[in-house]
Amino acid sequence: MEITRKKQQALFLSLILLIIHLYPSSSELEKVKNNTSLNSDEVHVGIILDMRSWTGKITNSCISMAIADFYAVNTHCKTRLILHSRDSQGDPFHALTTASNLIQNVDLQAIICIGMTPTGAQILADLGSRAKIPIISLFTTLPNSLTSYSIQIDQDDEGSQSQARGISDFISVFKWKEVILIHEDNTWGNDNTIPYLFDSLHDNDIDIARRISISLASSTDDQIIEKLSMLKSLDTKVFVVHMSHALASHLFLNAKKLGMMSKGYVWIATAATMNFLHSMDSLVVDSSMQGVVGFRRYVPTSKELHNFTLRWRREMYLNNPNAEVSELDAYGILAYDTVWAVAKASEKLKTGQVSDEILYKQIVNNRFRGLSGDFQFVNGKLTSSREFEIVNVIGKTIKRVGFWNPTTGITKEMNSSVFINKMDTISSTSPNDELEVIIWPGGSAAIPVGVGKINKLRIGVPVNGLKQFVSVVWDPQSINATLTVEGFCIDVFKAAIDTLTFEVPYEFIPFVDAGGRVAAGSYSDLIDQVYFQKFDAAVGDTTITANRSVYVDFTLPYTDMGIGMIVPIDQNNNMWIFLKPLKPNLWLTIAALFVLTGFVVWIIERPVNDEFQGSRAHQFGMIFWYSFSTLVFSQREKLFSNLSKFVVIVWVFVVLILSSSYTATLASMLTIQQIKLASMDNIGSQLGSVVPGALSNLNFKDSRLKKYNTVEEYASALSKGSISAIVDEIPYVKAFLSKYSAHYTTAAAKYTTSTNGFGFVFQKGSPLVHDISRAIARLREEGNLAKIENVWFNTQQSSNFMHEDFTSSNPSSLSLANFGGLFLITGISSTLALVIFLVTSIYKRTFWRTGELNKTVLPL
């Protein structure tokens, strides 16, 4: 490196001596000015650029169009720019020689040099200072201590700082903690992007794993390959590249040869490369830069810019019909605005002889709205944009995936109110939520993890739980005892991992003792191993509790919360069970109303209806027959009196309600046996469950709680009568009913929030907790969680709990209080009808005796 720098210094001294030797004396310059027969209104400007490169062609076309557009709009101008374009042939020495010849032979008022090396631009700036000619350098970073006649059209310090912050924020969003920095070894340039990158990365707690520099002049492809091979051996796979587009072409070609543009790698390029991407060889971009993400200068859209772009494309096609028309880049637009700035400055002077010193001041004092936006200078440097586009190389084109600016950070749309700043991480929002989908190297949209050697998550799984949740099986016929882990919890975890946008390798490790087959402890012991970092996570039917959350982090629950009860279906043949739906006082009241209704109908109908007449026995039977036949609506006797019809209508309504209530209550009693927990002999629960703690809230004695391991043991204990019911968490209840729903049913507990459900266990502070929790929420919203549950617990009734309080008294028997209002209505109706009938009858008999009534008794 030291030898290279000495060579560059020697070359610089040689060039300075050559320029001084070639540089004409003041008298010679005066002679040139006097001998040049030029119009006094003409302002001569030298243009030095590489005509062979796409950058030179794009810029040259923009400059030509700028001259035509300016004087087409400003027809009143008294001055006119005369351009003297020279081809640098991509050789800095040739460019300097050409500039010297222009100064000697043409009375130049300014020189615009495009795409020169920092060393060449520095020499040309010194040359312009000696000749008192403004030197405008496009796309070249010059030292902060510019000469008195130097003007820089490139990214200034604030722009470099903004870009460094944007790249750092972009890396933080994807939670990459280490990067490798590759930059160009630039001795004479004073580009502060690298120091600003150091500061920004440090502020975001991002480490620079390695930093290497590559020189365009002295580094061969073999040397670049050697350096890249060293970087390939490192674990870090996130690269930040800051170099010219010419050197970037060599870098990415060699990276492609080494397989470093494949899946798992991340390449982030600065604007130094991305601003000139369309000037690069399309074969290099198409073959070696796929998936590269970069920042480039943001140019605000406008109608003027759109119209200019259309005209520029047409112009480029006419001048280069056989070439693929490239996209107009930001620096072609800046070259356009630069020519307008020089033309405006010249016109403001309006003198016969333009003073170079005054022209310089007019240029740097120019302020106007150009195609590139606000165009103005500070200390001889164009104020560069603080806003950047984030682009993704896909095919031969680039796709805009987002923006960055100092105010809102990373956004999907410019001026968006929703943004990701450096304090945000994918723990709170996914990058794809705020950025367009990025296609990374290798053609994958999955977010790379950023490291080469990805350590698998060590996930502990229990071996002593219910098999429906986690089942660990060793294949005894295989040489290495192949392990098979399956179950409801395993399927949910795998589904959650599959929804993540990044790769998470993992392996299941059974929590067993040294023998390899017996559980090494309880569920709490398994969680302790996560706390002691033997396992990275634990997947199984692990209940979320406040005490456990002190030592580990849980994801969102992926099961229902609360406890449920399993009870046998009452299959005993109780010959008097039909009397249980109604309490005795209700039975007696109903019987009394049956008799009362029959009696009232008999009283009203007997004088006018032959069917209610006859012997006493017949009439007595008719009273009971008619009222009780209304139960099945089978009464055949025709009623003549409107009063009796009114009584029967009200009574039929009451009978309808009573029969419906009786039927519903009896059906409930035949299906569900109400249990009073405090009066039971024994209750079953799962060994190691958190249910005993939940039952303590119900004043339940632990001595009556029996522990079991499997659903088969549950069923056996219930069938033998060893226990009266099973009380367990709802997921276990569902697992039991999926197998024994024919003989057992459920009754839900009152305290449905007494347990928090199952969650996956991770070490404290693990970033995967938020990602897996978000994945669980998505699985639940999309219905996939329910589908997994139905696969393992294929029953609908396991979730249809009866919302009854099993600690209350028997609520099924209906009492008189439930129908008091109904009985009051029918009682008043019957009494009223009877009173009206009696009053009417007495009234008729009175008038009959006085002879004022007819002998025929008329019905009411």
Side-chain angles (χ1 to χ4, degrees), residues 1-13 218:
M1 181 63 70
E2 187 63 28
I3 295 175
T4 301
R5 290 181 178 176
K6 288 181 178 180
K7 288 181 179 179
Q8 291 176 341
Q9 292 174 0
L11 176 60
F12 173 71
L13 292 175
S218 60

Side-chain angles (χ1 to χ4, degrees), residues 376-414:
Q376 62 181 358
F377 295 90
V378 175
N379 298 325
K381 293 184 177 182
L382 180 68
T383 56
S384 60
S385 174
R386 307 294 183 267
E387 300 168 340
F388 292 87
E389 290 180 291
I390 305 174
V391 295
N392 184 203
V393 179
I394 303 175
K396 295 182 179 180
T397 63
I398 58 176
K399 172 189 174 184
R400 178 192 296 164
V401 296
F403 298 88
W404 185 92
N405 67 67
T407 304
T408 60
I410 294 177
T411 61
K412 185 178 293 187
E413 299 291 340
M414 184 58 71

Side-chain angles (χ1 to χ4, degrees), residues 281-293:
D281 188 346
S282 60
L283 294 178
V284 174
V285 175
D286 191 31
S287 64
S288 304
M289 294 187 64
Q290 296 304 297
V292 173
V293 178

Side-chain angles (χ1 to χ4, degrees), residues 67-80 340 347 350:
I67 291 291
D69 291 349
F70 181 82
Y71 292 110
V73 174
N74 302 283
T75 56
H76 61 281
C77 289
K78 296 181 179 180
T79 60
R80 191 169 189 87
W340 273 62
E347 183 60 26
K350 295 182 181 178

Side-chain angles (χ1 to χ4, degrees), residues 470-490:
V470 178
S471 174
V472 179
V473 179
W474 287 270
D475 185 1
Q477 298 181 352
S478 63
I479 299 176
N480 298 323
T482 304
L483 181 68
T484 301
V485 182
E486 58 184 11
F488 169 71
C489 301
I490 302 300

